[in-house]
Amino acid sequence: MSLSKNLFNFFLESIQIIVPKAFKESLVNPVEPFLTCYVIKGQLYPALQMLTRFTEIIRENSEIWQTLNIPIKTSEILEIKNPSDLKTVIK
C-alpha cells in the first residue's frame, strides 16, 4: 500500500475514534481531487450547508484552487495562511 493510502487510512481511523468522543458527526465531501471533511458537534443540516458552501467557495476562487493543487504535484505541506483567502474562508 502506498504512503498516501496509509496516511489516508490513518486519517479516517483517527476521525472514527475522535468523533464519537468529542463530536456527534463528521461529514466528508469529495471535491476532486480532494476530500473535504467537517467534524461537528451541533446540528447536521446547517453543517452540511456550511460544508457545501465551503467547497463552492474553494472551487470558485482561482487563487485558492491553484494553491490547493500545488501540494498534489509537489508533495509539499499546505499552510493555512497560504493562500490568505483560504484562512478567511475557513473562519
Side-chain angles (χ1 to χ4, degrees):
M1 194 178 300
S2 71
L3 178 60
S4 61
K5 286 184 181 178
N6 282 336
L7 289 174
F8 181 72
N9 287 339
F10 176 74
F11 170 75
L12 289 179
E13 288 173 10
S14 299
I15 291 294
Q16 290 174 349
I17 292 169
I18 294 169
V19 168
K21 294 181 180 179
F23 303 96
K24 289 184 178 180
E25 298 284 341
S26 66
L27 301 170
V28 177
N29 188 16
V31 183
E32 288 295 329
F34 312 104
L35 288 176
T36 56
C37 180
Y38 186 36
V39 181
I40 61 164
K41 187 173 185 175
Q43 296 179 341
L44 188 59
Y45 184 72
L48 181 58
Q49 288 179 316
M50 289 173 59
L51 181 60
T52 301
R53 182 68 188 128
F54 174 77
T55 57
E56 288 171 354
I57 290 170
I58 65 172
R59 282 184 187 168
E60 293 168 359
N61 185 309
S62 61
E63 179 190 359
I64 292 174
W65 191 252
Q66 289 174 0
T67 303
L68 290 174
N69 279 285
I70 292 170
I72 291 176
K73 298 172 186 169
T74 63
S75 298
E76 294 178 22
I77 295 174
L78 178 68
E79 294 186 30
I80 195 168
K81 62 184 176 186
N82 185 20
S84 59
D85 289 349
L86 182 59
K87 186 175 181 180
T88 302
V89 171
I90 291 171
K91 287 185 177 185

